[in-house]
Amino acid sequence: MSVPSSAPERPVAHVYDAAYAGVPNWDIGRPQQAFVRLLDAGLVRSPVLDVGCGTGELSLFLARHGHDVLGIDLSMTAIRQAKEKARWRRVAADFLVWDALNVSRFREANLSFRTIVDSAMLHILGDRERDRFVDGLGDVLASGGLYCVLGDARRTEREIYGITPGEIRDRFRRADGWEVLFALPTVFERRWSSNRAYFIGVQRL
């Protein structure tokens, strides 16, 4: 796959490299159940972009079920582990060290996606980062394509961490070419705990 270079710009990349030197709490060694149900429902279409893919469990799961998948993450350590898993398991998935805030640059390689999956990436971004990310999604998600995000439920209106269905509807407006198809309460599993979460699907019109 030929794509333009996108070295991580944000200092938080080093924080995640340090986390992936061990086994972070959010890396449960399998995909979150919300995405398993998404696949079972027949709603995943190739090509797939997995933003904030970590060590690649969701990417590898979708690729093992026949999908053309590209996983991206800020952390070089996580991407190295994802590539090693793909090699050990003999699963054909591609992985790149890439800042999800720069997804619009995939247009330079004439790449677009029919499904974009986000397992707990959006919910950690700041307000302006979310704006930038959503703008980039609009550049690379094909018409009729689906963006599916799983994130911790926001605990209070004053917090930026987490997501709510209302926020997603505000950011993905029909007037801008989006339609929220579903917003389901669920849980985000961690190795030693779980949090209230939402699983939300947004279609590019």
Side-chain angles (χ1 to χ4, degrees), residues 3-196:
V3 296
S5 174
S6 177
E9 301 169 356
R10 290 183 286 156
V12 72
H14 302 293
V15 175
Y16 285 106
D17 278 337
Y20 284 112
V23 182
N25 192 22
W26 61 83
D27 191 340
I28 60 174
R30 54 180 170 79
Q32 296 283 330
Q33 285 300 307
F35 291 103
V36 175
R37 292 191 291 270
L38 187 76
L39 179 73
D40 289 344
L43 296 178
V44 178
R45 296 184 297 164
S46 295
V48 181
L49 177 66
D50 181 4
V51 293
C53 68
T55 64
E57 289 296 339
L58 176 55
S59 294
L60 294 167
F61 170 73
L62 296 176
R64 194 168 63 246
H65 284 82
H67 289 286
D68 179 12
V69 184
L70 171 63
I72 62 172
D73 201 280
L74 275 176
S75 169
M76 289 185 286
T77 303
I79 291 297
R80 183 175 66 250
Q81 292 177 23
K83 289 180 177 180
E84 289 172 353
K85 286 180 181 181
R87 185 172 64 252
W88 295 338
R89 300 178 192 180
R90 298 183 180 179
V91 177
D94 292 309
F95 294 99
L96 286 174
V97 179
W98 195 281
D99 189 340
L101 300 187
N102 291 334
V103 292
S104 62
R105 294 197 61 209
F106 285 123
R107 290 184 305 171
E108 298 174 22
N110 295 316
L111 291 177
S112 64
F113 303 90
R114 298 175 73 196
T115 308
I116 297 179
V117 291
D118 176 345
S119 185
M121 197 279 299
L122 179 70
H123 78 177
I124 66 169
L125 297 179
D127 189 60
R128 291 183 180 179
E129 291 174 329
R130 295 182 191 210
D131 288 341
R132 181 176 166 188
F133 175 63
V134 171
D135 287 344
L137 288 181
D139 290 334
V140 297
L141 186 60
S143 178
L146 190 64
Y147 166 63
C148 292
V149 55
L150 174 67
D152 286 340
R154 187 173 295 164
R155 286 175 288 187
T156 70
E157 288 299 321
R158 293 187 177 184
E159 285 186 282
I160 187 62
Y161 177 83
I163 60 173
T164 68
E167 180 206 358
I168 298 300
R169 291 189 179 96
D170 288 343
R171 292 187 184 277
F172 293 89
R173 299 180 302 170
R174 189 174 184 87
D176 296 327
W178 300 98
E179 181 178 5
V180 176
L181 298 183
F182 58 82
L184 306 173
T186 184
V187 296
F188 182 80
E189 299 175 84
R190 289 170 169 78
R191 294 178 68 85
W192 305 293
S193 63
S194 63
N195 282 27
R196 289 179 51 249

